Structure formats: C-alpha cells, structure tokens
Short mmCIF file of all heavy atoms in Angstrom, two decimals:
data_model
loop_
_atom_site.label_atom_id
_atom_site.label_comp_id
_atom_site.label_asym_id
_atom_site.label_seq_id
_atom_site.Cartn_x
_atom_site.Cartn_y
_atom_site.Cartn_z
N LEU J 1019 10.39 6.40 7.97
CA LEU J 1019 9.05 6.93 8.46
C LEU J 1019 8.96 8.44 8.19
O LEU J 1019 7.96 8.90 7.64
CB LEU J 1019 8.95 6.67 9.94
CG LEU J 1019 7.62 7.10 10.62
CD1 LEU J 1019 6.44 6.30 10.07
CD2 LEU J 1019 7.69 6.93 12.14
N LEU J 1020 10.07 9.19 8.53
CA LEU J 1020 9.97 10.66 8.45
C LEU J 1020 10.18 11.19 6.99
O LEU J 1020 9.60 12.20 6.63
CB LEU J 1020 11.07 11.28 9.32
CG LEU J 1020 10.90 11.04 10.83
CD1 LEU J 1020 12.16 11.47 11.58
CD2 LEU J 1020 9.72 11.78 11.32
N ASN J 1021 10.96 10.43 6.20
CA ASN J 1021 11.31 10.96 4.88
C ASN J 1021 10.54 10.29 3.73
O ASN J 1021 10.52 10.83 2.59
CB ASN J 1021 12.83 10.84 4.64
CG ASN J 1021 13.62 11.63 5.63
OD1 ASN J 1021 13.28 12.81 5.90
ND2 ASN J 1021 14.66 11.04 6.17
N ASP J 1022 9.91 9.17 4.02
CA ASP J 1022 9.18 8.50 2.92
C ASP J 1022 7.70 8.29 3.31
O ASP J 1022 6.82 8.80 2.54
CB ASP J 1022 9.83 7.11 2.64
CG ASP J 1022 11.20 7.23 2.06
OD1 ASP J 1022 11.36 7.98 1.06
OD2 ASP J 1022 12.15 6.57 2.57
N VAL J 1023 7.45 7.66 4.38
CA VAL J 1023 6.08 7.22 4.68
C VAL J 1023 5.18 8.43 4.93
O VAL J 1023 4.13 8.64 4.28
CB VAL J 1023 6.05 6.24 5.92
CG1 VAL J 1023 4.59 5.83 6.26
CG2 VAL J 1023 6.90 5.02 5.65
N ILE J 1024 5.53 9.26 5.89
CA ILE J 1024 4.69 10.36 6.31
C ILE J 1024 4.52 11.38 5.14
O ILE J 1024 3.37 11.80 4.84
CB ILE J 1024 5.19 11.04 7.68
CG1 ILE J 1024 4.96 10.05 8.78
CG2 ILE J 1024 4.45 12.37 7.89
CD1 ILE J 1024 5.61 10.53 10.09
N PRO J 1025 5.60 11.81 4.48
CA PRO J 1025 5.40 12.80 3.38
C PRO J 1025 4.58 12.23 2.24
O PRO J 1025 3.78 12.93 1.64
CB PRO J 1025 6.85 13.06 2.91
CG PRO J 1025 7.69 12.69 4.06
CD PRO J 1025 7.03 11.58 4.75
N THR J 1026 4.71 10.95 1.91
CA THR J 1026 3.93 10.36 0.81
C THR J 1026 2.45 10.37 1.21
O THR J 1026 1.58 10.68 0.39
CB THR J 1026 4.41 8.94 0.50
OG1 THR J 1026 5.84 8.96 0.21
CG2 THR J 1026 3.70 8.38 -0.73
N TYR J 1027 2.14 9.95 2.47
CA TYR J 1027 0.73 9.83 2.90
C TYR J 1027 0.03 11.21 2.80
O TYR J 1027 -1.08 11.30 2.31
CB TYR J 1027 0.69 9.29 4.32
CG TYR J 1027 -0.75 9.08 4.77
CD1 TYR J 1027 -1.46 7.91 4.39
CD2 TYR J 1027 -1.39 10.02 5.57
CE1 TYR J 1027 -2.80 7.83 4.80
CE2 TYR J 1027 -2.72 9.83 5.94
CZ TYR J 1027 -3.41 8.71 5.56
OH TYR J 1027 -4.68 8.49 5.95
N TYR J 1028 0.70 12.25 3.30
CA TYR J 1028 0.02 13.54 3.37
C TYR J 1028 0.24 14.44 2.15
O TYR J 1028 -0.65 15.29 1.87
CB TYR J 1028 0.56 14.31 4.66
CG TYR J 1028 0.05 13.71 5.87
CD1 TYR J 1028 0.91 13.01 6.77
CD2 TYR J 1028 -1.28 13.77 6.27
CE1 TYR J 1028 0.49 12.43 7.97
CE2 TYR J 1028 -1.77 13.18 7.47
CZ TYR J 1028 -0.90 12.52 8.31
OH TYR J 1028 -1.33 11.95 9.47
N ASN J 1029 1.33 14.26 1.42
CA ASN J 1029 1.61 15.12 0.31
C ASN J 1029 1.56 14.59 -1.07
O ASN J 1029 1.65 15.29 -2.07
CB ASN J 1029 3.00 15.75 0.53
CG ASN J 1029 3.17 16.43 1.88
OD1 ASN J 1029 2.21 16.97 2.40
ND2 ASN J 1029 4.38 16.34 2.43
N ASN J 1030 1.46 13.24 -1.16
CA ASN J 1030 1.44 12.64 -2.48
C ASN J 1030 0.54 11.44 -2.57
O ASN J 1030 0.91 10.30 -2.66
CB ASN J 1030 2.89 12.20 -2.85
CG ASN J 1030 3.07 11.88 -4.33
OD1 ASN J 1030 2.11 11.75 -5.09
ND2 ASN J 1030 4.33 11.81 -4.80
N LYS J 1031 -0.82 11.76 -2.41
CA LYS J 1031 -1.80 10.74 -2.35
C LYS J 1031 -1.85 9.81 -3.52
O LYS J 1031 -2.09 8.61 -3.45
CB LYS J 1031 -3.20 11.38 -2.11
CG LYS J 1031 -4.30 10.38 -1.67
CD LYS J 1031 -4.03 9.84 -0.25
CE LYS J 1031 -4.38 10.79 0.79
NZ LYS J 1031 -4.12 10.41 2.17
N SER J 1032 -1.61 10.45 -4.71
CA SER J 1032 -1.64 9.59 -5.97
C SER J 1032 -0.55 8.51 -5.88
O SER J 1032 -0.81 7.36 -6.33
CB SER J 1032 -1.51 10.43 -7.20
OG SER J 1032 -0.27 11.16 -7.17
N LYS J 1033 0.64 8.88 -5.37
CA LYS J 1033 1.72 7.85 -5.29
C LYS J 1033 1.31 6.82 -4.20
O LYS J 1033 1.55 5.61 -4.41
CB LYS J 1033 3.04 8.53 -4.88
CG LYS J 1033 4.15 7.50 -4.84
CD LYS J 1033 5.46 7.99 -4.33
CE LYS J 1033 6.47 6.83 -4.32
NZ LYS J 1033 7.79 7.23 -3.67
N TRP J 1034 0.68 7.25 -3.15
CA TRP J 1034 0.30 6.30 -2.08
C TRP J 1034 -0.71 5.29 -2.67
O TRP J 1034 -0.49 4.08 -2.45
CB TRP J 1034 -0.37 7.01 -0.91
CG TRP J 1034 -0.61 6.19 0.29
CD1 TRP J 1034 -1.65 5.35 0.46
CD2 TRP J 1034 0.26 6.02 1.43
NE1 TRP J 1034 -1.53 4.69 1.70
CE2 TRP J 1034 -0.37 5.10 2.32
CE3 TRP J 1034 1.45 6.62 1.82
CZ2 TRP J 1034 0.19 4.72 3.51
CZ3 TRP J 1034 2.03 6.27 3.02
CH2 TRP J 1034 1.39 5.32 3.87
N ILE J 1035 -1.67 5.77 -3.44
CA ILE J 1035 -2.67 4.86 -4.00
C ILE J 1035 -1.99 3.96 -5.03
O ILE J 1035 -2.33 2.77 -5.09
CB ILE J 1035 -3.84 5.67 -4.61
CG1 ILE J 1035 -4.58 6.39 -3.52
CG2 ILE J 1035 -4.78 4.81 -5.43
CD1 ILE J 1035 -5.53 7.50 -3.98
N GLU J 1036 -1.01 4.51 -5.77
CA GLU J 1036 -0.34 3.63 -6.72
C GLU J 1036 0.42 2.54 -6.03
O GLU J 1036 0.47 1.38 -6.44
CB GLU J 1036 0.64 4.52 -7.58
CG GLU J 1036 1.43 3.76 -8.67
CD GLU J 1036 0.52 3.23 -9.74
OE1 GLU J 1036 -0.55 3.82 -9.99
OE2 GLU J 1036 0.94 2.25 -10.44
N MET J 1037 1.07 2.91 -4.87
CA MET J 1037 1.78 1.85 -4.04
C MET J 1037 0.79 0.82 -3.53
O MET J 1037 1.12 -0.35 -3.42
CB MET J 1037 2.55 2.56 -2.91
CG MET J 1037 3.75 3.33 -3.35
SD MET J 1037 4.67 4.10 -2.01
CE MET J 1037 5.42 2.61 -1.23
N MET J 1038 -0.39 1.25 -3.12
CA MET J 1038 -1.42 0.31 -2.62
C MET J 1038 -1.71 -0.67 -3.69
O MET J 1038 -1.81 -1.93 -3.46
CB MET J 1038 -2.68 1.04 -2.24
CG MET J 1038 -2.55 1.86 -0.92
SD MET J 1038 -4.02 2.86 -0.60
CE MET J 1038 -5.22 1.62 -0.26
N LYS J 1039 -1.96 -0.18 -4.88
CA LYS J 1039 -2.25 -1.09 -6.05
C LYS J 1039 -1.11 -2.03 -6.33
O LYS J 1039 -1.32 -3.23 -6.49
CB LYS J 1039 -2.57 -0.25 -7.31
CG LYS J 1039 -3.04 -1.08 -8.47
CD LYS J 1039 -3.50 -0.21 -9.61
CE LYS J 1039 -4.00 -1.04 -10.76
NZ LYS J 1039 -4.64 -0.22 -11.87
N ASN J 1040 0.10 -1.50 -6.31
CA ASN J 1040 1.27 -2.35 -6.52
C ASN J 1040 1.43 -3.42 -5.46
O ASN J 1040 1.81 -4.56 -5.67
CB ASN J 1040 2.55 -1.51 -6.55
CG ASN J 1040 2.63 -0.55 -7.75
OD1 ASN J 1040 2.01 -0.83 -8.75
ND2 ASN J 1040 3.44 0.50 -7.62
N SER J 1041 1.12 -3.02 -4.20
CA SER J 1041 1.20 -3.94 -3.07
C SER J 1041 0.23 -5.14 -3.31
O SER J 1041 0.66 -6.32 -3.12
CB SER J 1041 0.81 -3.21 -1.76
OG SER J 1041 0.68 -4.14 -0.69
N ILE J 1042 -0.97 -4.85 -3.72
CA ILE J 1042 -1.94 -5.93 -3.94
C ILE J 1042 -1.53 -6.79 -5.12
O ILE J 1042 -1.48 -8.06 -5.01
CB ILE J 1042 -3.35 -5.31 -4.16
CG1 ILE J 1042 -3.85 -4.54 -2.97
CG2 ILE J 1042 -4.37 -6.43 -4.53
CD1 ILE J 1042 -5.05 -3.61 -3.26
N LEU J 1043 -1.23 -6.18 -6.24
CA LEU J 1043 -1.00 -6.93 -7.46
C LEU J 1043 0.33 -7.74 -7.40
O LEU J 1043 0.45 -8.78 -8.05
CB LEU J 1043 -0.96 -6.00 -8.69
CG LEU J 1043 -2.31 -5.32 -9.02
CD1 LEU J 1043 -2.18 -4.38 -10.20
CD2 LEU J 1043 -3.40 -6.37 -9.23
N SER J 1044 1.29 -7.25 -6.61
CA SER J 1044 2.62 -7.92 -6.59
C SER J 1044 2.59 -9.14 -5.56
O SER J 1044 3.55 -9.87 -5.57
CB SER J 1044 3.69 -6.93 -6.20
OG SER J 1044 3.50 -6.44 -4.88
N THR J 1045 1.55 -9.28 -4.73
CA THR J 1045 1.58 -10.26 -3.73
C THR J 1045 0.41 -11.31 -3.89
O THR J 1045 0.54 -12.42 -3.40
CB THR J 1045 1.45 -9.66 -2.32
OG1 THR J 1045 0.29 -8.87 -2.21
CG2 THR J 1045 2.70 -8.84 -2.01
N LYS J 1046 -0.71 -10.94 -4.56
CA LYS J 1046 -1.95 -11.70 -4.45
C LYS J 1046 -1.82 -13.15 -5.08
O LYS J 1046 -2.54 -14.00 -4.68
CB LYS J 1046 -3.11 -10.94 -5.11
CG LYS J 1046 -3.03 -10.87 -6.64
CD LYS J 1046 -4.23 -10.07 -7.14
CE LYS J 1046 -4.18 -9.98 -8.65
NZ LYS J 1046 -4.35 -11.28 -9.36
N ASP J 1047 -0.92 -13.31 -6.01
CA ASP J 1047 -0.78 -14.63 -6.62
C ASP J 1047 0.29 -15.49 -5.95
O ASP J 1047 0.01 -16.60 -5.45
CB ASP J 1047 -0.48 -14.54 -8.14
CG ASP J 1047 -1.59 -13.90 -8.95
OD1 ASP J 1047 -2.76 -14.13 -8.57
OD2 ASP J 1047 -1.30 -13.11 -9.80
N TYR J 1048 1.48 -14.93 -5.78
CA TYR J 1048 2.57 -15.74 -5.27
C TYR J 1048 2.33 -16.08 -3.79
O TYR J 1048 2.68 -17.19 -3.30
CB TYR J 1048 3.89 -15.01 -5.35
CG TYR J 1048 5.08 -15.94 -4.96
CD1 TYR J 1048 5.47 -16.94 -5.79
CD2 TYR J 1048 5.68 -15.74 -3.74
CE1 TYR J 1048 6.48 -17.85 -5.34
CE2 TYR J 1048 6.71 -16.59 -3.28
CZ TYR J 1048 7.12 -17.59 -4.11
OH TYR J 1048 8.08 -18.46 -3.74
N PHE J 1049 1.74 -15.15 -2.98
CA PHE J 1049 1.55 -15.45 -1.56
C PHE J 1049 0.14 -15.97 -1.29
O PHE J 1049 -0.34 -15.89 -0.15
CB PHE J 1049 1.89 -14.19 -0.72
CG PHE J 1049 3.35 -13.84 -0.93
CD1 PHE J 1049 3.73 -12.79 -1.78
CD2 PHE J 1049 4.34 -14.52 -0.28
CE1 PHE J 1049 5.07 -12.50 -1.99
CE2 PHE J 1049 5.71 -14.24 -0.47
CZ PHE J 1049 6.06 -13.20 -1.29
N SER J 1050 -0.50 -16.50 -2.31
CA SER J 1050 -1.80 -17.13 -2.13
C SER J 1050 -1.56 -18.60 -1.75
O SER J 1050 -0.58 -19.28 -2.21
CB SER J 1050 -2.55 -17.07 -3.45
OG SER J 1050 -3.37 -18.20 -3.64
N MET J 1051 -2.43 -19.12 -0.95
CA MET J 1051 -2.32 -20.54 -0.42
C MET J 1051 -2.33 -21.52 -1.59
O MET J 1051 -1.77 -22.62 -1.44
CB MET J 1051 -3.48 -20.79 0.59
CG MET J 1051 -3.30 -22.07 1.38
SD MET J 1051 -1.75 -22.31 2.22
CE MET J 1051 -1.95 -21.31 3.70
N LYS J 1052 -2.93 -21.20 -2.69
CA LYS J 1052 -2.96 -22.11 -3.86
C LYS J 1052 -1.51 -22.37 -4.34
O LYS J 1052 -1.16 -23.53 -4.62
CB LYS J 1052 -3.76 -21.52 -5.01
CG LYS J 1052 -3.85 -22.42 -6.22
CD LYS J 1052 -4.80 -21.81 -7.29
CE LYS J 1052 -5.07 -22.79 -8.42
NZ LYS J 1052 -3.92 -23.01 -9.32
N ARG J 1053 -0.67 -21.37 -4.43
CA ARG J 1053 0.74 -21.58 -4.83
C ARG J 1053 1.45 -22.47 -3.78
O ARG J 1053 2.17 -23.41 -4.12
CB ARG J 1053 1.43 -20.23 -4.96
CG ARG J 1053 2.88 -20.30 -5.41
CD ARG J 1053 3.92 -20.47 -4.33
NE ARG J 1053 3.75 -19.53 -3.25
CZ ARG J 1053 4.25 -19.69 -2.03
NH1 ARG J 1053 4.93 -20.83 -1.71
NH2 ARG J 1053 4.08 -18.76 -1.11
N MET J 1054 1.18 -22.21 -2.53
CA MET J 1054 1.91 -22.93 -1.44
C MET J 1054 1.55 -24.40 -1.48
O MET J 1054 2.42 -25.28 -1.39
CB MET J 1054 1.57 -22.33 -0.08
CG MET J 1054 2.20 -22.99 1.05
SD MET J 1054 1.81 -22.20 2.60
CE MET J 1054 1.56 -23.65 3.68
N ILE J 1055 0.24 -24.70 -1.58
CA ILE J 1055 -0.21 -26.07 -1.53
C ILE J 1055 0.32 -26.83 -2.78
O ILE J 1055 0.72 -28.07 -2.70
CB ILE J 1055 -1.73 -26.17 -1.38
CG1 ILE J 1055 -2.17 -27.51 -0.69
CG2 ILE J 1055 -2.50 -25.95 -2.63
CD1 ILE J 1055 -3.59 -27.47 -0.22
N GLU J 1056 0.32 -26.17 -3.90
CA GLU J 1056 0.87 -26.78 -5.12
C GLU J 1056 2.34 -27.07 -4.99
O GLU J 1056 2.85 -28.12 -5.38
CB GLU J 1056 0.61 -25.87 -6.34
CG GLU J 1056 -0.81 -25.92 -6.77
CD GLU J 1056 -1.13 -24.92 -7.91
OE1 GLU J 1056 -0.18 -24.07 -8.19
OE2 GLU J 1056 -2.18 -24.98 -8.53
N GLU J 1057 3.06 -26.15 -4.32
CA GLU J 1057 4.52 -26.38 -4.10
C GLU J 1057 4.73 -27.53 -3.16
O GLU J 1057 5.72 -28.29 -3.35
CB GLU J 1057 5.11 -25.10 -3.55
CG GLU J 1057 6.45 -24.72 -4.20
CD GLU J 1057 7.03 -23.39 -3.73
OE1 GLU J 1057 6.28 -22.42 -3.61
OE2 GLU J 1057 8.26 -23.36 -3.56
N TYR J 1058 3.92 -27.64 -2.11
CA TYR J 1058 4.08 -28.81 -1.26
C TYR J 1058 3.90 -30.13 -2.00
O TYR J 1058 4.66 -31.09 -1.77
CB TYR J 1058 3.06 -28.77 -0.06
CG TYR J 1058 3.57 -27.96 1.13
CD1 TYR J 1058 3.11 -26.70 1.42
CD2 TYR J 1058 4.51 -28.53 1.95
CE1 TYR J 1058 3.59 -26.01 2.50
CE2 TYR J 1058 5.04 -27.82 3.07
CZ TYR J 1058 4.58 -26.56 3.35
OH TYR J 1058 5.04 -25.88 4.39
N TYR J 1059 2.95 -30.16 -2.88
CA TYR J 1059 2.74 -31.37 -3.64
C TYR J 1059 3.90 -31.64 -4.63
O TYR J 1059 4.42 -32.78 -4.71
CB TYR J 1059 1.44 -31.34 -4.45
CG TYR J 1059 0.29 -31.96 -3.64
CD1 TYR J 1059 -0.54 -31.25 -2.82
CD2 TYR J 1059 0.10 -33.35 -3.65
CE1 TYR J 1059 -1.53 -31.85 -2.04
CE2 TYR J 1059 -0.86 -34.01 -2.89
CZ TYR J 1059 -1.64 -33.18 -2.10
OH TYR J 1059 -2.59 -33.83 -1.30
N GLN J 1060 4.42 -30.61 -5.25
CA GLN J 1060 5.46 -30.75 -6.22
C GLN J 1060 6.81 -31.13 -5.56
O GLN J 1060 7.55 -31.94 -6.07
CB GLN J 1060 5.66 -29.49 -7.08
CG GLN J 1060 4.49 -29.23 -8.02
CD GLN J 1060 4.41 -27.79 -8.43
OE1 GLN J 1060 5.21 -26.94 -8.05
NE2 GLN J 1060 3.39 -27.44 -9.28
N LYS J 1061 7.08 -30.47 -4.40
CA LYS J 1061 8.44 -30.60 -3.81
C LYS J 1061 8.54 -31.50 -2.56
O LYS J 1061 9.62 -31.93 -2.27
CB LYS J 1061 8.93 -29.21 -3.47
CG LYS J 1061 9.09 -28.28 -4.62
CD LYS J 1061 9.60 -26.89 -4.19
CE LYS J 1061 9.80 -26.02 -5.40
NZ LYS J 1061 10.26 -24.67 -5.00
N MET J 1062 7.39 -31.79 -1.97
CA MET J 1062 7.40 -32.52 -0.68
C MET J 1062 6.61 -33.84 -0.76
O MET J 1062 7.07 -34.92 -0.37
CB MET J 1062 6.81 -31.68 0.44
CG MET J 1062 7.54 -30.42 0.67
SD MET J 1062 8.89 -30.57 1.91
CE MET J 1062 8.02 -30.54 3.39
N TYR J 1063 5.44 -33.80 -1.27
CA TYR J 1063 4.53 -34.95 -1.23
C TYR J 1063 4.74 -36.01 -2.32
O TYR J 1063 4.48 -37.17 -2.06
CB TYR J 1063 3.08 -34.50 -1.21
CG TYR J 1063 2.63 -33.57 -0.10
CD1 TYR J 1063 1.52 -32.75 -0.25
CD2 TYR J 1063 3.31 -33.52 1.10
CE1 TYR J 1063 1.08 -31.87 0.70
CE2 TYR J 1063 2.90 -32.66 2.09
CZ TYR J 1063 1.83 -31.82 1.89
OH TYR J 1063 1.40 -30.97 2.90
N THR J 1064 5.11 -35.52 -3.46
CA THR J 1064 5.23 -36.42 -4.64
C THR J 1064 6.69 -36.86 -4.75
O THR J 1064 7.57 -36.06 -4.85
CB THR J 1064 4.74 -35.70 -5.89
OG1 THR J 1064 3.43 -35.16 -5.66
CG2 THR J 1064 4.71 -36.71 -7.07
N LYS J 1065 6.87 -38.14 -4.80
CA LYS J 1065 8.24 -38.72 -4.98
C LYS J 1065 8.45 -38.93 -6.48
O LYS J 1065 7.59 -39.48 -7.15
CB LYS J 1065 8.37 -40.05 -4.25
CG LYS J 1065 8.50 -39.87 -2.71
CD LYS J 1065 9.05 -41.15 -2.08
CE LYS J 1065 7.91 -42.12 -1.80
NZ LYS J 1065 8.38 -43.28 -1.04
#
C-alpha cells in the first residue's frame, strides 16, 4: 500500500492507467461466464 499503490496513484498516473487497461484485458475473456459454462459442458455435463 505504502510503496506501490499510493505512490503510483498520485505520482505515476500513466502507469496507473496502463495497469487499469491490463487489468481489463487480462481478465475479460477467461473470467467471463461464457468460458465457465463451456467448461462445465466439456468437463462435467458431457460424458
């Protein structure tokens, strides 16, 4: 919190915004319900 989060927020806005973009792009497909429901069908529902 003291050495990464707070300094980045107040002193390095461009890095913060880059991290926001990375956060969205790195999670939006794999942690989407479409992946989960397909995995249930592939690994659980279909024999």
Side-chain angles (χ1 to χ4, degrees):
L1019 182 66
L1020 294 170
N1021 297 317
D1022 294 309
V1023 180
I1024 292 173
T1026 306
Y1027 184 81
Y1028 289 109
N1029 305 328
N1030 196 344
K1031 193 66 77 183
S1032 61
K1033 183 185 177 186
W1034 190 278
I1035 293 167
E1036 183 66 24
M1037 288 182 71
M1038 289 173 68
K1039 185 172 183 175
N1040 292 339
S1041 173
I1042 298 165
L1043 295 179
S1044 64
T1045 57
K1046 71 180 180 66
D1047 295 323
Y1048 186 75
F1049 297 101
S1050 149
M1051 193 51 82
K1052 183 174 188 288
R1053 183 273 309 161
M1054 179 180 140
I1055 205 166
E1056 286 175 349
E1057 223 176 319
Y1058 271 106
Y1059 267 95
Q1060 290 159 1
K1061 297 180 178 178
M1062 300 271 282
Y1063 300 157
T1064 307
K1065 285 196 276 188

